[in-house]
């Protein structure tokens, strides 16, 4: 696989609440007219020249008029801000974040060098500290995509779709989700209180979480007592394809009856890994995914061949935490009739971010450039994938240690192998529109 594809990052959501070493405070200010405060008058400040000559000279001639207000604001901050000297690096990074916030289609973001290192650590199975959750920073509030297995977030009961509307009692209304994410960061052993709004609940509720060291293996697998190979892919990091191939080979060596691929709560990863993973289950040269650009142009990515599990009977587990690269793989498998999807509707993250590292180790930017379509040209973004057999996983199931989705996957696979009728899908809940609750 051409590793240049790694420039396209299939996450979204898939930002991770990770290390806390740089999590500084963030405060929102409310402007009050000074004339409205008794005994105070607005100070008079003589504005400096709009742009210094050296600033004017480094700005391209065709953009000098456009950037004149930027440099004017820059100079005013340096001459009038109450705390001097001003941190130029922080101003520069803030300006980049501001540019990204003006782009409304898809997820567009800036990772400073520290955040870039954290994201890479979480995506590639390295140890890190935090609450252990994949989150979506595109919505009005910071939103949980999925907790990481065994993490403080999972133990605290966080679920896909949970909106974090306050952090340590501070209202997050109007705060960018990326800034909210950074407020959740912190070193292991420290506590954070998240106020959660969850659809279907009567009111927001608080969850106290103690941050910890998080270990994120990319692949988990075992041969079940019923003779079925079970493989769970946690994320699509750098080595997902090689680790998955190793797991498949070890399982096939034990002559399993069939295979369950678990993509639940998999928030995505790199596109090249998505193609490689899909190639383990599909013949060579099958379209895995299309990219659809604004002008309607379609670019296709095909399976690369050499798959170890193209014939074994299999089923795939998905849920509301399955996003982006996980949806690409599941969508392709479903479109070709390779396997049934079992579980609940997937997350619906189908926008393409071009992930470009900035020069001199100054971080990276992700810019939305296209949308993903399945081989049958079904849209993923804001829609998700519908399972062939719908099975919910309730709070009661979680509390009782049951996994009805995994049970249904095994029953479906054995029924397919034995030529028996497939299990009946559960009744799907009627969709309801629940307004966002603000604290």
């Amino acid at each position: 696989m051409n590793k240049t594809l790694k420039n396209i990052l299939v996450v979204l959501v898939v930002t991770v609440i990770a290390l806390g070493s740089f999590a500084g405070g963030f405060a929102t200010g409310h402007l009050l007219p000074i004339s409205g405060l008794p005994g105070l008058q607005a100070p008079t400040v003589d504005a400096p020249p709009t742009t210094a000559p050296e600033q004017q000279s480094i700005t391209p001639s065709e953009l000098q008029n456009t950037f004149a207000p930027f440099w004017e604001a820059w100079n005013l901050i340096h001459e009038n801000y109450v705390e001097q000297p001003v941190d130029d690096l922080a101003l520069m990074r803030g300006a980049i974040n501001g540019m990204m916030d003006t782009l409304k289609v898809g997820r567009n973001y800036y990772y400073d060098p520290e955040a870039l290192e954290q994201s890479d650590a979480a995506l590639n199975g390295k140890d890190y500290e935090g609450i252990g959750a994949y989150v979506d920073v595109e919505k009005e509030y910071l939103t949980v995509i999925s907790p990481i297995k065994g993490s403080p977030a999972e133990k605290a009961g966080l679920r896909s779709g949970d909106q974090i509307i306050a952090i340590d009692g501070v209202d997050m209304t109007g705060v960018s989700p990326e800034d909210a994410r950074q407020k959740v960061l912190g070193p292991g052993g420290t506590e954070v209180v998240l106020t959660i709004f969850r659809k279907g609940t009567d009111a927001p509720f608080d969850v106290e979480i103690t941050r910890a060291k998080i270990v994120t293996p990319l692949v988990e697998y075992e041969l079940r007592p019923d003779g079925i190979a079970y493989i769970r892919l946690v994320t699509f990091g750098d080595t997902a394809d090689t680790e998955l191939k190793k797991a498949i080979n070890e399982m096939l060596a034990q002559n399993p009856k069939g295979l369950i691929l678990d993509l639940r709560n998999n928030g995505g990863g790199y596109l090249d890994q998505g193609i490689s993973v899909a190639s383990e289950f599909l013949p060579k040269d099958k379209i895995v995914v299309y990219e659809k650009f604004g002008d309607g142009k379609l670019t296709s990515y095909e399976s690369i061949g050499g798959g170890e599990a193209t014939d074994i009977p299999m089923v795939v587990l998905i849920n509301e935490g399955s996003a982006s690269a996980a949806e690409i793989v599941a969508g392709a498998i479903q479109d070709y009739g390779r396997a049934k999807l079992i579980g609940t509707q997937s997350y619906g993250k189908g926008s393409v971010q071009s992930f470009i590292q900035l020069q001199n180790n100054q971080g990276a930017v992700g810019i939305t450039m296209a949308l993903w379509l399945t081989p049958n040209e079904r849209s993923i973004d804001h829609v998700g994938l519908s399972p062939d057999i719908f099975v919910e996983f309730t709070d009661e199931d979680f509390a009782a240690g049951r996994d009805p989705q995994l049970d249904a996957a095994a029953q479906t696979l054995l029924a397919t192998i034995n030529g028996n009728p497939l299990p009946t899908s559960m009744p799907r809940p009627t969709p309801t529109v629940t307004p966002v609750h603000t604290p």
Side-chain angles (χ1 to χ4, degrees), residues 119-139:
S119 176
D120 177 70
L123 189 60
N124 289 304
K126 301 174 184 176
D127 297 350
Y128 65 94
E129 292 179 305
I131 69 168
Y134 296 104
V135 296
D136 189 343
V137 295
E138 284 186 32
K139 301 184 183 298

Side-chain angles (χ1 to χ4, degrees), residues 253-377:
Q254 301 179 58
N255 297 313
K257 297 176 182 178
L259 185 150
I260 296 173
L261 176 63
D262 192 347
L263 296 179
R264 291 178 297 176
N265 296 324
N266 183 315
Y270 295 119
L271 175 59
D272 67 336
Q273 291 296 315
I275 304 302
S276 294
V277 167
S279 298
E280 289 297 324
F281 308 106
L282 298 174
K284 186 179 180 181
D285 296 331
K286 291 290 186 180
I287 292 173
V288 176
V289 67
Y290 288 105
E291 286 179 354
K292 183 178 181 179
F293 295 86
D295 60 2
K297 176 184 175 183
L298 293 179
T299 298
S300 63
Y301 294 92
E302 291 80 27
S303 54
I304 59 178
E308 304 288 348
T310 58
D311 298 318
I312 185 172
M314 66 179 293
V315 295
V316 179
L317 282 166
I318 62 170
N319 68 357
E320 58 277 3
S322 306
S324 70
E327 293 174 294
I328 286 174
V329 172
I333 286 174
Q334 185 180 47
D335 277 4
Y336 289 115
R338 175 67 182 88
K340 298 292 186 184
L341 304 188
I342 299 170
T344 53
Q345 193 82 5
S346 66
Y347 189 83
K349 176 60 181 171
S351 59
V352 185
Q353 279 74 45
S354 178
F355 187 71
I356 306 166
Q357 293 204 20
L358 303 179
Q359 297 180 16
N360 301 320
N361 297 318
Q362 288 301 309
V365 294
I367 302 173
T368 298
M369 54 182 285
L371 298 176
W372 277 295
L373 305 178
T374 71
N376 288 347
E377 299 189 25

Side-chain angles (χ1 to χ4, degrees), residues 165-238:
I165 61 175
I167 299 171
D168 288 331
V170 179
D171 182 4
M172 291 294 106
T173 302
V175 178
S176 77
E178 176 59 27
D179 288 325
R181 184 185 73 89
Q182 294 193 30
K183 287 182 68 68
V184 179
L185 304 178
T190 61
E191 293 184 347
V192 61
V193 178
L194 307 180
T195 302
I196 302 297
F197 172 72
R198 179 179 295 167
K199 289 183 179 180
T201 58
D202 295 331
F205 55 92
D206 288 343
V207 177
E208 184 175 297
I209 303 178
T210 301
R211 303 176 180 99
K213 184 176 182 179
I214 309 298
V215 180
T216 55
L218 298 190
V219 179
E220 302 168 359
Y221 56 98
E222 65 174 354
L223 184 67
R224 292 163 45 97
D226 56 10
I228 294 174
Y230 170 82
I231 299 178
R232 178 172 183 259
L233 184 59
V234 178
T235 189
F236 287 79
D238 270 335

Side-chain angles (χ1 to χ4, degrees), residues 398-421:
F398 180 82
R402 297 188 298 261
D403 190 341
Q405 294 173 334
L406 182 57
D407 293 341
Q411 293 165 11
T412 300
L413 188 54
L414 291 173
T416 300
I417 295 169
N418 297 323
N420 297 327

Side-chain angles (χ1 to χ4, degrees), residues 22 110-120 178 181-182:
F22 77 105
Y110 167 61
Y111 280 157
D112 63 33
E114 294 85 359
L116 179 61
E117 181 181 357
Q118 295 163 18
S119 176
D120 177 70
E178 176 59 27
R181 184 185 73 89
Q182 294 193 30

